[in-house]
Amino acid sequence: MRLLTHNMLSSNIKGVTNGFPLLIEVEKVVEKQVDFNEDFLRNMFAKIEWKALVEASRTMGYTELPENSESSMLNSDEFLRKFHHALLELHLEEGALVCPETGRKFPVNKGIPNMLLHEDEV
Amino acid sequence: MKLKQLESLIGSLDQFENPKIELEQYPTGPHIASRLLYTAENSFEDVENKTVADFGCGCGTLGLAAALLGAEHVIGLDIDTDSLEIASSNATDLDLDMDFVHCNIRNLKWRDRIVDTVVMNPPFGTRRKGADMDFLFVALKVASQAVYSLHKTTTRDHVKRTALREYNAASAEVLCELRFDVPQLYKFHKKKEVDVAVDLWRFVPQKDREKHL
């Protein structure tokens, strides 16, 4: 699971008001290279929750992203490549996503998070 | 990529081993899958460089077709873990990157409309009434640009009315009518194969009105 997907998902447990971002518990990270696509990155930059991406990438062991971001950084090729790497090339293979409010763990196996809710959580 | 090549690659994918009738698991044939994605990209540019979500992805057919046509990020969502395993191995076979989420589409929570395009071949509602409309309801809340979906031709008026009046779609168009060949998958299937007329739809979600000062 890429951090781009992590950046889109919120805890879906009934009653939770602040379910984003899900915390990450890492057991295994896999890096998979993909081609650099500048247009895509520029588009995504406006839609990404930056703090959540930085926090998540650090948890996954990647510390290169700046704490804060602004659109002028898109002029830097170096920045774009780091953004690319964090967003698309780091995969959480084994571990869990954790609801920030309830602490409930959604296990991640073979890169797939299980977000199915129990009956009392719906 | 040419349509024929896409159709051929999609046709080589593994499908359900033990399809679950209560989930209405039917493979989306390569003929329909390739045409759905090919039209989405060539006529509307809704695939290449975009973020695409495949709702009820099953063995990953539509999502992988999107990846083959240049979608930058594809997410497949399904409630069945066995299908997701097959989908995952299909992605590996084609050397494609695709994220998968094991979930119930109806209660998954998205932060915002970050997905550009939703593609889906939803359950038609033969086991659980209105299942396809549930999927459409959610899709129109998640997609920022377009939703491509298949629904039985017999439900055409109902789908259009519901999408426009109740689900806030800005537009709802039937792009074409296709024949969905349903193979003899289940014990209650009497014939070797049956054709179901389906409409390929393109819906555009209504984005939230901008707040004026």
Side-chain angles (χ1 to χ4, degrees), chain A residues 1-2 4-5 7-12 20 34 37 40 44 47 49 91 112-117, chain B residues 49-51 72-73 75 79 84 88 97 99-104 107-111 114-116:
Chain A
M1 187 195 72
R2 286 170 160 165
L4 174 46
T5 300
N7 208 269
M8 299 189 207
L9 296 177
S10 188
S11 168
N12 48 349
F20 180 88
V34 281
N37 184 333
F40 179 78
M44 281 326 305
K47 302 180 194 180
E49 238 291 327
H91 294 258
I112 305 177
N114 182 346
M115 310 291 298
L116 284 177
L117 297 175
Chain B
N49 284 345
K50 307 286 190 207
T51 304
E72 191 66 30
H73 181 67
I75 311 174
I79 203 167
L84 289 174
S88 211
D97 242 315
D99 272 359
F100 295 100
V101 180
H102 183 197
C103 66
N104 185 331
N107 60 39
L108 188 65
K109 204 149 171 223
W110 303 79
R111 175 171 64 80
I114 307 169
V115 167
D116 294 309

Side-chain angles (χ1 to χ4, degrees), chain A residues 52-64:
Chain A
L53 179 64
V54 176
E55 187 57 47
S57 60
R58 286 186 188 169
T59 310
M60 305 265 279
Y62 185 66
T63 52
E64 301 288 307

